[in-house]
């Protein structure tokens, strides 16, 4: 047995014979396996555990490798299936390992040292436990050690032959909720909270009792503790409609509650299609989640039906349920007002024949409630008198229907009023908090439900990192200050049509409308960067805010599922170290980290141009020209971290153009170039730096004055700076280029053009342009040494440049032979990534190079 498999074998379990080996307890009748099947499954289990250890040791022997990570994930998945086949409690731990590895495989990220230690501990625990198991019979194990249930999920059915399934239809109880698990698993006692809202609650510590209940009754929802989560498939099968009994009910809603945050359990729950809740647990949110979808057939809209005639109310409710609505019946105004907080109706149908003026008083009460002020209210009455109708409308009713009401008429009026209400929902801003700028959670859910299925609509989940510590430090009074700071960041980085809302303490939801995933991820990255710049003052301490962001589309069954997907992505981001954005791909269930382009656009949108910036200098090798100490400034950005490919100047210019901040970016680049020169001057190095700017600089009328003031403030001269512009300005902005060169000349700043030779039609436009140097395209620089035609073109270009006083710089030259050929053609300077690689120290030895400079190649 390998070392990793023996690591956790110190925990001693005693079997029937007194040996120190764990016992695998198995009730074969319940599992439906023969002795031969159990033996075979046991052998396969050990083989998969061995394969898991071998895959881990292969991966752990060197650096993280994506292909080997997939191999480890496959080994873990096989172990999960083997544990499920034998009903081992290890199934959950194996599932956590497989999910843990899946996060890194799907995101192509590399786990850090702490995460590798966590992986090692999971693999070690699983392998050592499985390889130490011993298979004994059920009776021997039960007789000698009845307390070994912790090694095995107890089977949900007895070993004895099961009785035939009853052919009678089971009772469907819409007001029944079932809790499975200990109170400690839920964190709080949920039964009283549910009972307060009019539901009957049945509690069971194990799934066996719930399975027995499902044989006679179908509840509205099942709320399951994490210890019984493996029973979900059995519970679903037991609750499914039986064709033999002509049952047509819908499957009860299922929710899993865990006592702690756990990414593995959350992803497993999402794959099983059940709702998932973690602390801090909100009983009302849990209740709404499991009841709002339990009897909904189509539309998720909730209708409050107020009618004292119980038989008539039930008939109307059946019509509305058949049309896909969720209905709650109340016999009077008092019950109706009490049901508003728990049921949260979207439309009310009120019978006008309540006692006295109770119906009109109810409408007045609804209109005075801020949460229901704009909710459609339909009044149903016997009277056909116009005066009564006008009185009802004046009292606040939106519609007045005359009895008897036909089903089709009632449904069409409700649908019409709901569509009108949704159409104008986005125009209402009365629920927005003036201090924080955040909407309540209910507003987000309503807007998201109205927008589900629409392309380009995204749910963004923002979770502040280390939220538990932050919540303790803030206290109750400090939470409002935190919401104000986060709300300000959201306001600065979102569009007018976006909807930011408060979800829980330190957690926020945003409804985004973006054309594609890259745009949505860019907005998330911009928000993340903005939050990381915020500081929250708590007493004498200043706290830095960081957040993990998750995104998911609303092309799913409900807004609740979209929020769960976005929350799972945010948990994955936090699991990978936090302060990052992750996209949840609903079709494949995979997690996608922010791509480089999205990260870059977010960086630019937040105006943090200096974040993740790398500055290097590529030496200009003197050839025909003999001035040393010249460098081309090479800028690169790595928002994805050191292991990710760098974005170059052109990439950032493209993002800045989309964000309409090219002028700010160009000024930033010039400022960074002068900073580098000032630092090198302190070291006694006189450098001349050539820096690229975008063509937009020609439209920045205040750039000349800005640069002059910057040089004065830093006490620098312009002789050490050269500005390179794209060659395309020769066609697009010739007059602006001439004016720009004239403005730069008094400051002693040189101006050049890059990519000369890529489009030879531009060469004839060089006549009369007051630029100081031309930078050749890499294609022409390298082709001139091997192609006679390219050499002739370059020679002609050299003559024309020298006649007008321009220097010629080549770039991308690889060999000394190419340098010699370019020297023979008259090129003044050359940049070579092989002969003089770009460096952050700007310490190229020009004297040594010039002493051994190449001689001109002989034609």
């Amino acid at each position: 047995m390998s070392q990793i498999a023996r690591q956790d074998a110190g925990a001693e379990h005693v079997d029937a014979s007194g040996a120190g080996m764990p016992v695998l307890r198995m009730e074969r009748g319940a599992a439906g396996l023969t002795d031969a099947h159990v033996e075979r499954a046991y052998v396969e289990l050990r083989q998969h555990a061995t394969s898991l250890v071998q895959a881990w040791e292969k991966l752990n022997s060197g650096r993280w490798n994506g292909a080997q990570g997939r191999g480890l994930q496959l080994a873990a998945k096989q172990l999960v299936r083997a544990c499920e086949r034998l009903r081992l409690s290890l199934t959950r731990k194996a599932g956590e390992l497989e999910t843990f590895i899946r996060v890194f495989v799907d995101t192509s990220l590399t786990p850090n040292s702490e995460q590798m230690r966590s992986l090692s501990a999971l693999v070690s625990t699983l392998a050592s436990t499985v390889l130490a198991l011993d298979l004994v019979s059920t009776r021997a194990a039960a007789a000698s050690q009845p307390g070994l249930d912790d090694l095995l999920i107890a089977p949900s059915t007895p070993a004895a032959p099961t009785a035939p399934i009853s052919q009678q239809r089971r009772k469907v109880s819409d007001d029944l909720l079932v809790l499975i698990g200990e109170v400690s698993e839920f964190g709080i006692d949920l039964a009283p909270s549910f009972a307060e809202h009019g539901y009957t609650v049945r509690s069971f510590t194990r799934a066996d009792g719930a399975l027995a209940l499902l044989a006679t009754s179908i509840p509205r929802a099942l709320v399951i503790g994490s210890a019984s989560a493996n029973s979900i498939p059995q519970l679903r099968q037991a609750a499914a409609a039986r064709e033999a009994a002509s049952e047509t009910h819908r499957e009860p809603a299922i929710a899993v509650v865990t006592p702690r945050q756990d990414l593995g359990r959350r992803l497993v729950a999402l794959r099983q299609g059940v709702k998932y809740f973690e602390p801090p647990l909100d009983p009302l949110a849990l209740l709404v989640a499991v009841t709002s979808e339990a009897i909904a057939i189509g539309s998720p809209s909730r209708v409050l039906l107020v009618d004292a005639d119980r038989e008539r109310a039930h008939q109307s409710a059946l019509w509305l349920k058949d049309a896909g609505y969720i209905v709650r019946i109340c016999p009077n105004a008092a019950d109706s007002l009490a049901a508003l907080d728990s049921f949260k109706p979207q439309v009310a149908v009120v019978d006008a024949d309540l006692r006295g003026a109770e119906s009109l008083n109810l409408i007045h009460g609804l209109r005075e409630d801020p949460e229901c002020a704009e909710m459609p209210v339909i009044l149903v009455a016997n009277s056909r008198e116009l005066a009564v109708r006008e009185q009802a409308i004046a009292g606040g009713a939106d519609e007045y229907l005359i009895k008897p009401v036909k089903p089709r008429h009632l449904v069409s009026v409700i649908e019409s009023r709901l569509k009108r209400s949704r159409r104008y929902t986005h125009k209402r801003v009365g629920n927005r908090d003036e201090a924080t700028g955040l909407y309540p959670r209910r507003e987000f859910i309503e807007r998201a439900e109205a927008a589900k299925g629409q392309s380009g609509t995204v749910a963004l989940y923002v979770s502040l990192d280390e939220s538990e510590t932050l919540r303790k430090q803030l206290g109750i009074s400090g939470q409002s200050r935190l919401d104000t700071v986060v709300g300000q960041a959201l306001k600065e980085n979102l569009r007018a049509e976006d909807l930011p809302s408060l979800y829980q303490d330190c957690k926020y939801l945003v409804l985004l409308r973006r054309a594609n995933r890259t745009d949505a991820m860019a907005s998330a990255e911009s928000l993340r960067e903005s939050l990381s710049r915020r500081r929250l003052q708590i007493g004498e301490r200043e706290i830095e805010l960081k957040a993990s962001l998750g995104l998911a589309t609303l092309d799913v069954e409900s807004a609740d599922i979209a929020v769960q997907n976005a929350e799972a992505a945010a948990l994955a981001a936090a699991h990978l170290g936090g302060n990052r954005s992750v996209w949840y791909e609903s079709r494949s269930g995979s997690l996608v980290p922010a791509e480089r382009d999205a990260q870059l656009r977010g960086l630019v949108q937040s105006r943090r141009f200096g974040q993740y910036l790398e500055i290097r200098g590529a030496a200009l090798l003197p050839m025909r020209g003999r001035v040393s100490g010249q460098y081309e400034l090479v800028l690169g950005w790595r928002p994805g971290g050191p292991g990710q490919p760098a974005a170059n100047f052109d990439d950032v210019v493209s993002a800045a153009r989309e964000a309409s901040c090219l002028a700010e970016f160009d000024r930033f680049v010039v400022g960074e170039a002068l900073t580098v020169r000032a630092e090198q001057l302190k070291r006694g190095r006189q450098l001349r730096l050539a820096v690229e700017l975008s063509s937009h600089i020609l439209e920045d009328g205040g750039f000349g004055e800005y640069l002059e003031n910057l040089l004065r403030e830093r006490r620098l001269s312009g002789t050490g700076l050269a500005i390179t512009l794209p060659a395309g300005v020769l066609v697009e902005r010739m007059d602006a280029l001439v004016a720009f060169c004239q403005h730069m000349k008094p400051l002693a700043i040189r101006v050049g053009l890059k990519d000369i030779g890529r489009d030879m039609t531009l060469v004839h436009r060089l006549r009369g342009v007051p630029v100081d140097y031309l930078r050749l395209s890499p294609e022409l620089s390298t082709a001139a040494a091997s192609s006679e035609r390219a050499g002739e073109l370059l020679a002609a270009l050299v003559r024309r440049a020298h006649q007008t006083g321009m220097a010629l710089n080549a770039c991308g030259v690889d060999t000394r032979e190419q340098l010699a050929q370019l020297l023979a053609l008259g090129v003044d300077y050359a940049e070579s990534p092989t002969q003089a690689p770009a460096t952050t120290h700007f310490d190229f030895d020009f004297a040594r190079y010039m002493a051994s400079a190449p001689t001109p190649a002989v034609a």
Side-chain angles (χ1 to χ4, degrees):
M1 187 187 303
S2 66
Q3 182 178 359
I4 190 170
R6 293 193 300 265
Q7 184 174 335
D8 292 340
E12 184 175 359
H13 303 276
V14 181
D15 65 4
S17 61
M21 299 298 291
V23 177
L24 174 61
R25 185 179 177 197
M26 188 70 201
E27 295 197 20
R28 300 183 183 109
L33 300 176
T34 64
D35 290 345
H37 289 156
V38 171
E39 190 70 36
R40 190 181 308 116
Y42 173 64
V43 172
E44 291 178 357
L45 177 70
R46 295 178 62 87
Q47 291 175 345
H48 293 323
T50 304
S51 299
L52 180 70
V53 173
Q54 293 173 347
W56 169 249
E57 291 182 342
K58 183 178 180 180
L59 180 64
N60 198 34
S61 60
R63 299 184 62 182
W64 175 269
N65 179 280
Q68 294 176 353
R70 283 189 291 273
L72 183 64
Q73 179 191 355
L74 178 60
K77 186 181 294 186
Q78 292 172 336
L79 187 62
V80 170
R81 293 172 179 171
C83 291
E84 287 177 344
R85 194 174 299 118
L86 289 169
R87 295 192 183 282
L88 289 175
S89 60
L90 293 175
T91 304
R92 184 173 59 193
K93 186 65 68 176
E96 290 179 4
L97 173 63
E98 193 270 334
T99 303
F100 196 168
I101 303 168
R102 179 192 294 272
V103 170
F104 297 101
V105 172
D106 287 351
T107 58
S108 301
L109 294 176
T110 302
N112 56 31
S113 57
E114 183 178 351
Q115 292 162 344
M116 289 292 284
R117 285 194 295 271
S118 298
L119 274 173
S120 177
L122 279 171
V123 173
S124 175
T125 301
L126 282 169
S128 59
T129 304
V130 170
L131 295 176
L133 288 174
D134 184 25
L135 187 66
V136 297
S137 68
T138 304
R139 293 181 179 177
S144 58
Q145 290 290 341
L148 292 175
D149 292 342
D150 59 330
L151 286 178
L152 187 66
I153 296 293
S156 57
T157 54
T162 58
I165 297 176
S166 173
Q167 300 300 314
Q168 296 181 353
R169 296 183 64 175
R170 290 172 289 181
K171 178 183 177 182
V172 178
S173 303
D174 288 341
D175 61 346
L176 175 61
L177 300 179
V178 174
L179 298 177
I180 305 174
E182 302 285 351
V183 174
S184 58
E185 296 181 57
F186 303 122
I188 59 175
D189 192 353
L190 293 174
S193 301
F194 293 166
E196 287 178 1
H197 291 84
Y199 290 95
T200 302
V201 181
R202 295 286 304 275
S203 299
F204 304 95
T205 57
R206 299 170 63 92
D208 299 351
L211 288 167
L213 174 67
L214 290 173
T216 58
S217 300
I218 301 298
R220 188 165 188 173
L222 302 166
V223 180
I224 304 172
S226 58
S228 301
N230 286 356
S231 301
I232 290 177
Q234 295 171 290
L235 292 167
R236 271 187 168 158
Q237 184 178 1
R242 301 170 181 169
E243 294 183 4
S246 301
E247 294 179 339
T248 58
H249 64 265
R250 189 179 179 185
E251 178 183 328
I254 299 178
V256 174
V257 179
T258 64
R260 59 184 177 84
Q261 294 185 348
D262 191 317
L263 176 62
R265 288 191 176 98
R266 170 171 289 276
L267 293 179
V268 169
L270 287 174
R271 287 202 298 270
Q272 291 180 336
V274 301
K275 302 181 185 299
Y276 180 86
F277 290 87
E278 294 175 340
L281 191 62
D282 184 348
L284 179 58
L286 174 58
L287 182 62
V288 171
V290 297
T291 58
S292 64
E293 205 173 308
I295 60 171
I297 300 174
S299 167
S301 302
R302 297 176 294 278
V303 180
L304 180 65
L305 190 58
V306 186
D307 196 337
D309 188 327
R310 184 173 183 83
E311 184 177 350
R312 183 173 58 205
H314 276 280
Q315 183 60 56
S316 299
L318 288 176
W319 296 344
L320 296 176
K321 286 182 179 181
D322 289 341
Y325 293 103
I326 303 169
V327 183
R328 176 167 291 187
I329 300 174
C330 293
N332 53 53
D335 290 350
S336 303
L337 294 174
L340 295 179
D341 289 337
S342 60
F343 185 59
K344 301 185 183 302
Q346 294 168 287
V347 62
V349 179
V350 181
D351 181 57
D353 297 332
L354 300 178
R355 290 179 300 174
E358 191 175 355
S359 57
L360 291 179
N361 292 336
L362 172 58
I363 296 175
H364 293 157
L366 293 174
R367 291 299 178 232
E368 290 174 1
D369 189 334
E371 295 292 328
C372 304
E374 298 184 30
M375 180 180 70
V377 177
I378 301 168
L379 192 65
V380 183
N382 281 315
S383 178
R384 295 177 178 268
E385 295 182 10
L386 180 60
V388 177
R389 178 186 181 92
E390 291 176 348
Q391 183 182 5
I393 299 299
D398 296 282
E399 290 281 357
Y400 185 88
L401 304 182
I402 300 174
K403 300 177 183 177
V405 180
K406 295 181 179 180
R408 184 181 301 174
H409 189 197
L410 178 61
V411 171
S412 63
V413 169
I414 290 176
E415 188 65 26
S416 174
R417 281 296 168 180
L418 282 173
K419 286 182 178 179
R420 180 178 177 84
S421 176
R422 291 167 184 162
R423 188 179 306 126
Y424 292 101
T425 295
H426 69 279
K427 297 182 179 180
R428 300 198 301 267
V429 295
N431 292 334
R432 192 169 193 171
D433 187 277
E434 295 182 359
T436 64
L438 300 174
Y439 289 87
R441 177 173 58 185
R442 177 183 176 184
E443 187 80 10
F444 173 90
I445 296 298
E446 289 181 354
R447 303 259 190 111
E449 283 289 353
K452 70 177 182 181
Q454 298 178 7
S455 61
T457 309
V458 177
L460 169 62
Y461 188 96
V462 181
S463 175
L464 297 181
D465 292 339
E466 300 181 2
S467 57
E468 292 297 328
T469 303
L470 186 60
R471 187 184 295 110
K472 293 178 182 178
Q473 293 174 335
L474 287 172
I476 298 176
S477 60
Q479 187 65 44
S480 59
R481 288 190 291 119
L482 174 64
D483 293 341
T484 302
V485 172
V486 175
Q488 184 63 29
L490 290 167
K491 181 180 179 181
E492 293 175 0
N493 292 274
L494 298 179
R495 301 176 184 174
E497 65 268 22
D498 298 332
L499 180 87
S501 66
L502 177 63
Y503 185 57
Q504 293 174 350
D505 289 348
C506 303
K507 294 177 174 60
Y508 308 86
L509 281 172
V510 183
L511 190 64
L512 297 177
R513 296 186 182 275
R514 297 295 184 270
N516 50 54
R517 185 173 78 185
T518 302
D519 288 347
M521 292 292 277
S523 297
E525 284 293 297
S526 174
L527 174 60
R528 184 184 61 80
E529 291 289 345
S530 180
L531 284 172
S532 64
R533 297 201 307 270
R534 311 280 166 164
R535 300 294 184 271
L536 190 65
Q537 195 72 31
I538 301 179
E540 298 180 355
R541 292 179 297 117
E542 196 176 58
I543 297 179
E544 180 181 359
L545 296 181
K546 292 185 178 180
S548 297
L549 283 73
L551 301 94
T553 59
L554 269 78
D555 57 349
V556 289
E557 296 178 4
S558 68
D560 186 45
I561 294 177
V563 171
Q564 289 184 19
N565 293 344
E567 187 178 2
L571 281 171
H575 196 71
L576 294 171
N579 195 28
R580 67 184 69 212
S581 303
V582 172
W583 177 277
Y584 184 90
E585 186 60 56
S586 57
R587 294 182 179 177
S588 60
S590 59
L591 299 166
V592 182
E595 300 165 347
R596 191 199 68 177
D597 290 346
Q599 292 174 330
L600 202 60
R601 289 172 62 182
L603 188 72
V604 170
Q605 288 175 6
S606 63
R607 307 300 194 265
R608 299 191 70 184
F609 305 123
Q611 188 78 1
Y612 313 114
L613 174 62
E614 300 175 354
I615 301 178
R616 296 176 297 155
L620 288 177
L621 302 178
M623 299 177 65
R624 187 175 183 276
R626 308 302 290 174
V627 179
S628 60
Q630 297 189 92
Y631 291 86
E632 288 183 0
L633 215 60
V634 181
L635 306 180
W637 287 262
R638 295 184 188 274
Q644 301 298 318
N648 58 28
F649 176 82
D650 291 334
D651 295 330
V652 182
V653 165
S654 178
R657 183 176 290 109
E658 292 182 7
S660 302
C661 59
L662 275 174
E664 296 176 56
F665 177 65
D666 285 330
R667 294 188 180 194
F668 165 80
V669 171
V670 168
E672 289 297 303
L674 293 180
T675 299
V676 171
R677 186 164 185 267
E679 291 175 352
Q680 297 301 318
L681 282 173
K682 293 178 182 178
R683 295 180 173 86
R685 299 173 184 166
Q686 286 280 354
L687 303 184
R688 305 179 73 181
L689 302 177
V691 59
E692 291 185 29
L693 297 182
S694 72
S695 59
H696 187 272
I697 202 66
L698 302 180
E699 301 173 4
D700 187 355
F703 179 76
E705 182 179 356
Y706 162 80
L707 187 52
E708 184 177 359
N709 293 334
L710 194 61
L711 290 171
R712 187 183 303 112
E713 290 173 5
R714 302 193 181 188
R715 299 181 181 180
L716 297 172
S717 68
T719 55
L721 184 66
I723 294 174
T724 308
L725 300 175
V729 298
L730 291 171
V731 176
E732 301 166 356
R733 300 180 179 89
M734 175 67 81
D735 294 340
L737 174 61
V738 173
F740 181 79
C741 293
Q742 292 172 349
H743 287 151
M744 295 298 104
K745 187 163 292 187
L747 301 176
I749 294 176
R750 296 170 296 148
V751 179
L753 300 174
K754 69 173 183 178
D755 284 339
I756 299 296
R758 182 166 292 171
D759 184 358
M760 296 302 295
T761 61
L762 300 179
V763 174
H764 73 279
R765 291 179 172 269
L766 291 171
R767 187 180 301 275
V769 178
V771 297
D772 301 289
Y773 62 93
L774 303 174
R775 194 169 83 187
L776 301 176
S777 67
E779 296 85 356
L780 183 59
S781 300
T782 55
S786 57
S787 169
E788 182 177 350
R789 174 59 179 167
E792 293 175 356
L793 291 174
L794 180 55
L797 181 58
V798 168
R799 288 194 298 271
R800 177 168 295 186
H802 288 170
Q803 287 172 2
T804 55
M806 303 177 191
L808 218 61
N809 303 341
C811 64
V813 184
D814 293 325
T815 64
R816 294 182 67 87
E817 289 75 15
Q818 290 177 335
L819 289 173
Q821 184 66 39
L822 293 173
L823 176 61
L825 293 172
V827 173
D828 299 283
Y829 299 93
E831 174 267 318
S832 173
T834 56
Q835 304 300 312
T839 174
T840 58
H841 303 292
F842 296 86
D843 55 357
F844 182 76
D845 192 342
F846 286 92
R848 181 176 180 181
Y849 167 78
M850 295 176 70
S852 60
T855 56
V858 179

